[in-house]
Amino acid sequence: MLKVLSCLATEHNPVFTLLAALVCVSGVFLTFRLLARGRRAEAAQSILWLTLAGIIGGATAWSTHFVAMLGYQTTLLIGYNAVLTVASLALVVVTTSIGFYIAAYCRVSWRAEAGGAVIGAGIALMHYVGLHALEVQGDFVWEWGYVIASFAFAILFSALALNQATRPTTYMFRYSGKLAFVLGIVALHFTGMTALTIVPHALVMPSTTVLSPSLLAGGVIAVMLILGLVAMITYMIDLQNARHAGERYRHLALHDPLTGVENRAGLEEHIETLMTAYSGDTARIAVVAIDLNRFKEINDVHGHAAGDQVLRVFAARASEALRDGEFLSRFGGDEFVAVKHPVYSRRDAAAFAARLLAVAQRGIEWKDTTLSVSGSAGYALYPEDARSPAGLIEYADIAMYHAKSHGEVNAVAYDPSLAAANRERSVIAMDLSGAVERGEFELYYQPQNDVATREVLGYEALIRWHHPTLGMVSPAVFIPVAEETGQITHIGAWALLDACREAASWEKPLTVAVNVAAAQLASEEFVRLVREILLETGLEPHRLELEMTESGIIGDVPHALHMVRQLKKLGVRIAMDDFGTGYSSLATLQNFPFDKIKIDREFIGNLGSNQHSAAIIKAAVILGASLDKTVVAEGVESEEHMTFLEEVGCNTVQGYLFGKPQPVSAILRPQKPAEADPGLQLKSFAEALPAEQLSAAS
Ligand code: C2E
Ligand code: CA
Ligand code: CA
């Protein structure tokens, strides 16, 4: 050992020793990077990376050896044999590469150590071949003990190095592999040099191709620099590619492919980031949920391509309308969630939501029509409403649902009472499924009377739900839920069938009015359903009146017009319900082949208190007369109402004054109490009663 150390101190020039150390350490670092990269890569690429690691690793050992040799202070040196010098480089590159393949691919559990041993042996061989390249004025005398020791060092340290580099280690040992490798090279070199003594003798003729030490120095450094540079550049290019791929993946993972705006994951990340960045801030974060209305109908009527177009156009326009600190994401389906920071008051949040709602209001061109959508919005604020992204989104969602189910045109702010309503809503939606099959619905009938004679002209069928635990649930509560969930199509079909069957059994050919929801009208199937029901029940078409609201047709006017024309061809009559509450009543009226206008009960209810209501009723009656349509006033509760309506010339009325909606048994009996036809009664109850009860009665 002492001899080895003295060899280091006295026989080597410290400048070259330092330079060799520098080459060695930087080369080893690069080699290990490449090795790690090769082990991570796919099969074909892996071989290339491991080869590159072998080239750099071998060249590192080789140049370390030669740079150190240049500092080997002996006056006997003439130069280096070129062939052996190059051969030693080739040898070490090949063995190092093979060692790396073994470490990566060999099927034994000690492959890392085996690979390392091969590398160590290769480096040691390189050392001695390199020494034989020395042309000196003297003879080589070997001390074999040191030679063997140098092999042992190289093999053991290299095996240890690969063991550390390829097996999981702790943080403290993260450099242990590289250190072992460096130590292996250093130990080999100086032990190997100690093994050698040159005994001088008289002039020896150098072999033909001799490189001078300075030429070799330049060569070694140039080779190492070029190799190192090439490997480094390759590694950097790869790193950048990986980063690009990572960014692209991140983009895909956080964005919605259809609209290009961020998706749910992107949204949650964005809110999270804002919350951590501005946790101590006085400004708040607003989360706005906005859901498109009539989207489902557009999808049903015009196909998914139209639906996609609506989503894309809305997303693009809304993104354009965003300002600094605002963010838009598609939450799923036709729901978008936007975020704004900083927000200083609820008014700021409401204004932001209003801006998005205005965007949703704009018509969207599709083929040769304009699709009209609108939005419902709700918002929640951080920190007062919720303190987590999921909580904020959920509350904004609840507020949005409230806006939707109440037909709110403005954005609704979250407040805790809405959460309770929301839970109730989901319970209703759940209980509604299967309610038709379980026979929980019943139709009530409310008379429509002639103003002059006060005679009953017909009945409006109004649905009632006998909920097993809640009792009677108002349609005002469950119809909006059924419309949202799509269950209305099924429920509406049941109501239509039941009303027609009932009316067909009446003695007098009175009309029956049935309410039709927007979603029912959207489906092409609806016309066929009406035709089949008329055929099956035998009800004369002119006795059936379908009530539809303006909101049911405004979504897609050309389609609704098409549907209404086909329905009219069947001979049924069409009434426009809730007249006066929509937006474009006059234009719609002129375009649509309605038979009847029903003035909303709100206006009659306001008659005493609101001058405006009286004016609207008068205008509606005049309009109806000029367009040759029957006008019905809803919600007539008093004789004062009747007097006013008679004066303005309204033909028909419906309201509590003449009767509340009642079960069919109640409306049929008082109507003709004395001569009630038992056959008729039996017929109308036939479906409601179990067979054995029927036979007991007769
Ligand atoms: P609507 O079509 O406007 O029905 C008239 C509503 O006004 C009924 O409420 C009726 O009970 C009420 N009403 C009648 N006369 C008076 C009155 O003099 N004063 C007052 N204050 N109210 C009066 P109802 O039965 O609760 O129905 C609510 C809504 O539910 C209906 O409004 C209709 O839009 C919907 N609906 C009911 N049945 C069906 C159905 O089978 N299908 C569909 N799609 N919707 C239905
Ligand atoms: Ca109605
Ligand atoms: Ca109405």
Side-chain angles (χ1 to χ4, degrees):
M1 192 66 187
L2 241 129
K3 212 174 155 202
V4 174
L5 286 179
S6 76
C7 155
L8 200 165
T10 59
E11 291 171 17
H12 283 81
N13 175 334
V15 176
F16 283 96
T17 307
L18 214 69
L19 196 62
L22 203 71
V23 168
C24 187
V25 171
S26 51
V28 167
F29 263 83
L30 189 53
T31 306
F32 275 57
R33 280 261 148 120
L34 296 169
L35 172 65
R37 182 65 190 84
R39 296 180 64 237
R40 257 185 304 159
E42 307 272 311
Q45 278 205 354
S46 168
I47 290 281
L48 296 177
W49 284 112
L50 292 178
T51 308
L52 196 58
I55 292 172
I56 299 300
T60 299
W62 179 80
S63 45
T64 303
H65 167 78
F66 276 97
V67 172
M69 279 305 297
L70 292 170
Y72 186 60
Q73 289 165 343
T74 168
T75 46
L76 305 172
L77 184 69
I78 301 166
Y80 294 84
N81 178 303
V83 177
L84 284 178
T85 302
V86 173
S88 68
L89 173 63
L91 175 91
V92 73
V93 163
V94 170
T95 49
T96 309
S97 299
I98 291 173
F100 284 151
Y101 303 151
I102 293 173
Y105 291 118
C106 206
R107 292 194 179 274
V108 291
S109 60
W110 36 274
R111 58 179 175 271
E113 295 74 18
V118 168
I119 292 171
I123 293 173
L125 272 177
M126 178 275 297
H127 178 87
Y128 290 102
V129 173
L131 281 183
H132 275 96
L134 288 178
E135 302 275 344
V136 291
Q137 282 177 306
D139 291 325
F140 285 3
V141 176
W142 299 101
E143 274 183 64
W144 290 102
Y146 283 107
V147 172
I148 292 167
S150 72
F151 264 91
F153 279 142
I155 290 171
L156 285 176
F157 275 117
S158 298
L160 179 67
L162 284 219
N163 165 292
Q164 291 293 299
T166 59
R167 303 200 194 282
T169 50
T170 56
Y171 185 77
M172 219 176 84
F173 289 102
R174 66 198 186 281
Y175 294 126
S176 58
K178 299 175 184 95
L179 184 67
F181 204 68
V182 170
L183 282 179
I185 293 174
V186 170
L188 159 75
H189 180 83
F190 291 106
T191 319
M193 293 313 285
T194 311
L196 174 66
T197 314
I198 301 169
V199 181
H201 59 64
L203 204 77
V204 181
M205 280 315 290
S207 57
T208 41
T209 44
V210 168
L211 302 170
S212 72
S214 54
L215 191 64
L216 184 74
V220 169
I221 289 171
V223 166
M224 201 50 213
L225 269 182
I226 291 169
L227 283 181
L229 225 61
V230 168
M232 198 109 92
I233 290 170
T234 312
Y235 186 75
M236 303 276 270
I237 290 175
D238 177 67
L239 207 67
Q240 246 170 27
N241 281 344
R243 203 165 289 154
H244 275 310
E247 273 162 20
R248 171 109 192 94
Y249 173 77
R250 227 182 105 71
H251 184 91
L252 285 178
L254 296 183
H255 285 76
D256 169 46
L258 177 68
T259 59
V261 299
E262 301 216 20
N263 61 14
R264 190 183 291 219
L267 167 72
E268 280 176 10
E269 195 183 281
H270 180 76
I271 300 176
E272 194 85 61
T273 312
L274 286 179
M275 276 176 15
T276 28
Y278 302 103
S279 58
D281 223 28
T282 48
R284 306 151 202 199
I285 302 168
V287 173
V288 179
I290 173 162
D291 194 88
L292 300 180
N293 298 326
R294 293 190 285 274
F295 179 76
K296 199 181 164 300
E297 283 103 90
I298 289 176
N299 245 341
D300 288 349
V301 174
H302 297 277
H304 289 286
D308 286 355
Q309 174 72 358
V310 167
L311 295 174
R312 265 195 301 262
V313 170
F314 172 75
R317 286 176 181 168
S319 301
E320 236 167 67
L322 294 183
R323 300 179 191 153
D324 277 356
E326 297 174 353
F327 170 97
L328 179 74
S329 68
R330 180 173 169 214
F331 195 63
D334 58 344
E335 184 175 349
F336 291 82
V337 174
V339 181
K340 182 181 173 73
H341 177 274
V343 164
Y344 294 98
S345 67
R346 289 204 173 257
R347 207 149 16 115
D348 279 1
F352 176 43
R355 182 148 34 92
L356 295 171
L357 282 174
V359 170
Q361 203 73 51
R362 285 160 60 189
I364 291 170
E365 302 300 323
W366 174 252
K367 300 208 169 137
D368 32 53
T369 57
T370 304
L371 305 171
S372 93
V373 266
S374 63
S376 299
Y379 58 90
L381 295 182
Y382 170 86
E384 48 261 70
D385 293 332
R387 288 171 172 273
S388 72
L392 284 166
I393 297 168
E394 186 194 333
Y395 288 168
D397 223 38
I398 286 173
M400 181 274 287
Y401 270 117
H402 181 85
K404 201 181 205 51
S405 54
H406 288 72
E408 278 285 351
V409 270
N410 297 320
V412 169
Y414 171 78
D415 97 65
S417 68
L418 296 182
N422 184 58
R423 271 192 294 280
E424 195 175 288
R425 211 189 114 265
S426 359
V427 168
I428 287 174
M430 221 145 54
D431 293 352
L432 269 180
S433 73
V436 169
E437 288 69 23
R438 291 191 299 270
E440 291 172 3
F441 293 117
E442 183 186 357
L443 290 181
Y444 272 30
Y445 292 86
Q446 186 179 33
Q448 296 181 335
N449 300 63
D450 184 87
V451 171
T453 66
R454 303 212 167 186
E455 231 178 294
V456 176
L457 302 171
Y459 290 93
E460 177 178 1
L462 292 156
I463 198 162
R464 297 294 179 264
W465 182 17
H466 300 283
H467 189 282
T469 53
L470 300 176
M472 178 94 92
V473 182
S474 160
V477 172
F478 72 84
I479 292 287
V481 177
E483 282 178 339
E484 236 173 75
T485 59
Q487 289 160 314
I488 190 66
T489 319
H490 188 46
I491 298 171
W494 172 85
L496 188 65
L497 174 64
D498 204 60
C500 290
R501 201 185 275 157
E502 183 56 49
S505 72
W506 292 340
E507 191 195 13
K508 276 197 184 177
L510 301 176
T511 58
V512 65
V514 181
N515 293 287
V516 174
Q520 287 176 278
L521 203 60
S523 154
E524 209 68 52
E525 291 293 291
F526 186 64
V527 178
R528 196 160 46 170
L529 178 78
V530 173
R531 188 192 300 122
E532 276 170 15
I533 286 179
L534 288 173
L535 277 174
E536 195 186 313
T537 59
L539 184 72
E540 293 160 282
H542 68 89
R543 289 180 56 201
L544 175 62
E545 205 166 82
L546 298 175
E547 294 193 1
M548 41 195 78
T549 59
E550 206 179 347
S551 63
I553 54 181
I554 195 103
D556 184 350
V557 174
H559 173 76
L561 195 56
H562 171 71
M563 294 290 285
V564 167
R565 284 204 184 112
Q566 278 183 283
L567 288 168
K568 290 214 63 171
K569 264 192 217 150
L570 296 179
V572 302
R573 306 205 298 160
I574 309 291
M576 183 170 181
D577 207 352
D578 301 348
F579 179 76
T581 57
Y583 343 66
S584 59
S585 302
L586 195 59
T588 320
L589 259 189
Q590 281 166 339
N591 272 328
F592 269 82
F594 288 116
D595 301 288
K596 215 175 197 180
I597 304 168
K598 296 187 78 178
I599 304 173
D600 194 72
R601 62 181 183 271
E602 180 193 332
F603 299 105
I604 286 85
N606 285 341
L607 260 181
S609 57
N610 191 335
Q611 282 292 302
H612 194 62
S613 290
I616 287 178
I617 295 170
K618 275 184 204 160
V621 172
I622 292 168
L623 198 67
S626 75
L627 294 172
D628 200 20
K629 295 174 201 283
T630 313
V631 176
V632 185
E634 284 186 316
V636 177
E637 294 182 354
S638 64
E639 286 300 336
E640 285 87 74
H641 291 161
M642 281 301 282
T643 316
F644 173 82
L645 292 167
E646 222 165 346
E647 266 170 27
V648 297
C650 178
N651 345 63
T652 317
V653 288
Q654 179 180 344
Y656 293 171
L657 183 64
F658 294 95
K660 291 194 170 182
Q662 293 177 73
V664 69
S665 53
I667 61 153
L668 288 179
R669 270 196 221 108
Q671 190 192 341
K672 296 163 96 194
E675 68 268 34
D677 178 353
L680 174 75
Q681 277 199 15
L682 196 62
K683 196 171 175 194
S684 56
F685 282 111
E687 281 105 7
L689 289 176
E692 62 272 22
Q693 241 173 299
L694 261 184
S695 51
S698 54

